[in-house]
Amino acid sequence: MKAIQFPTALTVLLLIAAVVALLTYIIPAGKYDRLSYNKDSDTFTQVKKTETVELAATQETLEHFDIKIPIEKFKNGDIWKPISIPNTYHTLDAQPQGVMAFIQSPIKGIMEAIDVILFVLIIGGFIGIMNFSGAFEAGISALAQTLKGREYILIIVITSLIAIGGTTFGLAEETIAFYPILIPVFLAAKYDAMVALASIYIGSCIGTLASTVNPFCTIIASDAAGINWTTGLTTRLVVLGLGLIICLIYIIRYAQQVKTDPTKSIIYDQKTEIENQFPITSLDNALRLTLKYKIILVLFLMCFVVMIYGVSQLDWWFLEMTTVFLVGAVIIGIIARIKEAVFVDTFIKGANDLLGVAFIIGIARGVTVLMEDGLISDSLLFYASSLTEGMNKGIFINAMLYIYSALSFFIPSSSGMAVLTMPIMAPLADGVGIGRDLVVNAYQFGMGLFAFINPTGLILASLAIVKIGFNKWLRFVMPLFGMLLIFIMIVLTISVYI
């Protein structure tokens, strides 16, 4: 009798969607009023239970609703999403999501996430062209020769760079592009694919967890809490520095064990399968790094530089990022002298390699659609905020950490979480006598920590690229998760008393 296998990522998400659909029958439906700014008319729109009201866009309007956000934050575009209005929660008629809604949720999720999905597919085609050109093989071979005996440097550099991207501009979904590129590099260094996944994904998680100037997390949450984003920055820098060190030690320790004894790998049973998926050419037979390959690799890296600059400085999003990689693929194809018919066929095959990842992203978004249609997102927020009433401040801040971790299962978007919850949660800090910046930090740390294992986030899509099971990832990451949880709880507890 064969051992029961852990279900695939698609099945896990569908099971989660089914549970969420059932919760819409159990959790009372409800909603907070929303306030949104209309730039064209310079007015606020209050969406109430049964009506919509136009209001003057003034500081007095915000003060009337006990919202501490400066009016300039709306007019400058710092807050571009509707925010929840405190003390306006009201119950609504239940909207249970039945069988038909459950069946339709993956399709609705794919439709809502189409920009991310197209980005992933174009990335797949882009990587396919790079592989076909031969530049990857030549570059990996040269890198392996350079780092021979010091391969651990690769882990430090990759994890640290991605953490910097995470803490500055929220590098997260974009890391999907790095897996097909870097996994062969780590395999050439005699590590396993889990080390590559960990360096990329954990780097992103620890960076976004301790976001410093991330506009999609720190700045929008601080604005929604009515404080300057620099308040609490010291604590976030401490968590970023020490947290990154903890993660690096953990990953390097595992990597050295695998390098010394490959049977210690958690995914040793998939070793042959993964090496066939990401073939590594022997250094003796590898292509030499000619001038043509060097030019292609520079263009390849420039695509990422342009993407990062555009996102961080030019307010680019998925349309612009996707365009960069499409144009990059065409230019590289021309330089590599790939024939037109071969280029199209190779590009499509590369996109096909990431089609499963694209579906996972869409189905994960479908879980959020079920909650929104079932009107339970705000109910969860209302009951979560009620739990903290009358708490000691040390217990309160750690409760906020756990509350935000739990809420991020249902609302994995950091900017969405900020505008929906911060106007409700931040004022609770006033009642227990601590700064609102601590609630912002708890929000970041809670979401960032749970992202390590959140099945409705990016981890299942990341694992799908290498076809590693979620159970194996949990086996690898849970000890690190526990260490970071204890570390963050200590930091938060100390913060409320100093």
Side-chain angles (χ1 to χ4, degrees):
M1 185 175 179
K2 292 183 178 180
I4 298 175
Q5 292 186 335
F6 193 84
T8 63
L10 288 168
T11 303
V12 168
L13 284 173
L14 287 173
L15 290 172
I16 290 172
V19 171
V20 169
L22 288 174
L23 288 177
T24 63
Y25 286 87
I26 300 169
I27 299 173
K31 208 168 186 63
Y32 284 94
D33 289 354
R34 297 281 198 272
L35 193 70
S36 58
Y37 175 68
N38 308 308
K39 185 176 182 180
D40 294 336
S41 59
D42 191 29
T43 59
F44 282 126
T45 299
Q46 181 188 3
V47 180
K48 303 175 72 174
K49 182 176 182 180
T50 57
E51 60 180 325
T52 299
V53 180
E54 294 293 323
L55 303 166
T58 64
Q59 194 65 51
E60 289 73 19
T61 300
L62 294 173
E63 290 174 358
H64 171 73
F65 292 119
D66 197 27
I67 296 173
K68 306 298 184 183
I69 308 171
I71 186 67
E72 291 78 16
K73 297 295 183 180
F74 291 92
K75 297 189 176 186
N76 294 341
D78 295 332
I79 296 181
W80 66 93
K81 294 185 177 184
I83 66 170
S84 303
I85 301 176
N87 305 314
T88 60
Y89 177 80
H90 48 268
T91 58
L92 296 169
D93 293 336
Q95 298 290 330
Q97 302 297 291
V99 175
M100 185 57 67
F102 166 70
I103 294 172
Q104 291 177 345
S105 66
I107 308 302
K108 288 181 178 179
I110 289 170
M111 292 170 66
E112 283 203 5
I114 191 64
D115 52 352
V116 186
I117 289 171
L118 285 175
F119 173 72
V120 169
L121 294 178
I122 295 298
I123 284 291
F126 176 71
I127 299 302
I129 295 299
M130 277 297 299
N131 281 328
F132 187 86
S133 73
F136 262 163
E137 180 184 327
I140 290 169
S141 300
L143 183 63
Q145 291 278 24
T146 302
L147 293 177
K148 197 168 186 179
R150 298 173 295 158
E151 290 83 0
Y152 65 89
I153 295 175
L154 184 65
I155 298 172
I156 297 173
V157 171
I158 296 298
T159 307
S160 299
L161 286 176
I162 292 179
I164 291 170
T167 194
T168 53
F169 68 92
L171 184 67
E173 289 91 344
E174 300 87 344
T175 58
I176 292 291
F178 299 150
Y179 293 106
I181 307 160
L182 292 176
I183 288 173
V185 177
F186 279 84
L187 294 180
K190 305 301 181 184
Y191 297 134
D192 65 1
M194 187 68 82
V195 177
L197 282 165
S199 296
I200 299 168
Y201 191 77
I202 290 175
S204 172
C205 285
I206 197 66
T208 53
L209 180 152
S211 292
T212 50
V213 297
N214 179 0
F216 309 108
C217 183
T218 305
I219 294 177
I220 191 173
S222 298
D223 289 346
I227 60 174
N228 190 293
W229 66 268
T230 58
T231 309
L233 178 60
T234 301
T235 302
R236 293 192 290 272
L237 286 170
V238 169
V239 171
L240 176 64
L242 296 180
L244 180 59
I245 291 171
I246 292 170
C247 292
L248 284 171
I249 292 172
Y250 187 85
I251 297 170
I252 291 172
R253 182 173 177 271
Y254 171 82
Q256 292 304 111
Q257 288 178 345
V258 171
K259 191 178 182 68
T260 304
D261 182 1
T263 62
K264 295 288 182 65
S265 168
I266 291 174
I267 53 173
Y268 181 71
D269 60 326
Q270 295 180 256
K271 186 175 187 295
T272 302
E273 176 190 353
I274 291 172
E275 288 176 352
N276 289 336
Q277 185 181 351
F278 302 97
I280 301 299
T281 304
S282 169
L283 295 182
D284 296 331
N285 302 320
L287 296 173
R288 299 304 169 198
L289 193 58
T290 62
L291 178 61
K292 182 180 78 170
Y293 290 145
K294 289 178 180 178
I295 293 172
I296 290 174
L297 287 171
V298 169
L299 286 170
F300 170 79
L301 292 173
M302 284 304 300
C303 287
F304 290 91
V305 172
V306 171
M307 177 193 75
I308 291 170
Y309 178 79
V311 172
S312 60
Q313 300 296 322
L314 305 177
D315 294 327
W316 282 8
W317 204 227
F318 284 103
L319 173 62
E320 294 84 359
M321 289 192 297
T322 304
T323 303
V324 168
F325 288 105
L326 179 60
V327 173
V330 173
I331 294 174
I332 288 170
I334 292 171
I335 293 174
R337 298 182 180 179
I338 302 174
K339 293 182 179 179
E340 181 265 342
V342 176
F343 177 90
V344 172
D345 185 56
T346 304
F347 190 89
I348 291 173
K349 286 180 179 177
N352 182 65
D353 288 340
L354 293 186
L355 185 61
V357 177
F359 274 120
I360 287 171
I361 291 170
I363 294 173
R365 185 69 62 86
V367 175
T368 304
V369 170
L370 281 173
M371 280 199 315
E372 291 174 350
D373 292 348
L375 300 175
I376 64 172
S377 298
D378 282 16
S379 297
L380 291 168
L381 172 59
F382 173 73
Y383 294 124
S385 62
S386 301
L387 287 174
T388 61
E389 292 182 4
M391 281 186 176
N392 167 277
K393 59 184 180 181
I395 298 174
F396 168 84
I397 198 61
N398 284 288
M400 295 299 291
L401 174 70
Y402 283 93
I403 286 171
Y404 271 112
S405 292
L407 287 175
S408 66
F409 175 85
F410 300 100
I411 312 172
S413 165
S414 59
S415 59
M417 178 76 82
V419 296
L420 287 175
T421 68
M422 206 51 65
I424 310 300
M425 295 297 200
L428 299 178
D430 303 340
V432 296
I434 63 173
R436 293 188 176 194
D437 59 292
L438 291 170
V439 176
V440 172
N441 286 349
Y443 140 78
Q444 289 193 181
F445 299 161
M447 284 202 75
L449 189 60
F450 193 64
F452 280 73
I453 58 173
N454 186 4
T456 60
L458 286 174
I459 184 56
L460 292 185
S462 303
L463 292 171
I465 294 174
V466 197
K467 299 180 177 62
I468 292 176
F470 188 44
N471 57 325
K472 292 182 179 179
W473 172 255
L474 291 179
R475 181 182 163 193
F476 168 79
V477 84
M478 284 309 294
L480 175 62
F481 181 88
M483 286 187 283
L484 289 174
L485 175 60
I486 294 170
F487 165 62
I488 289 170
M489 288 179 66
I490 291 172
V491 170
L492 285 174
T493 303
I494 293 173
S495 298
V496 300
Y497 290 107
I498 61 173

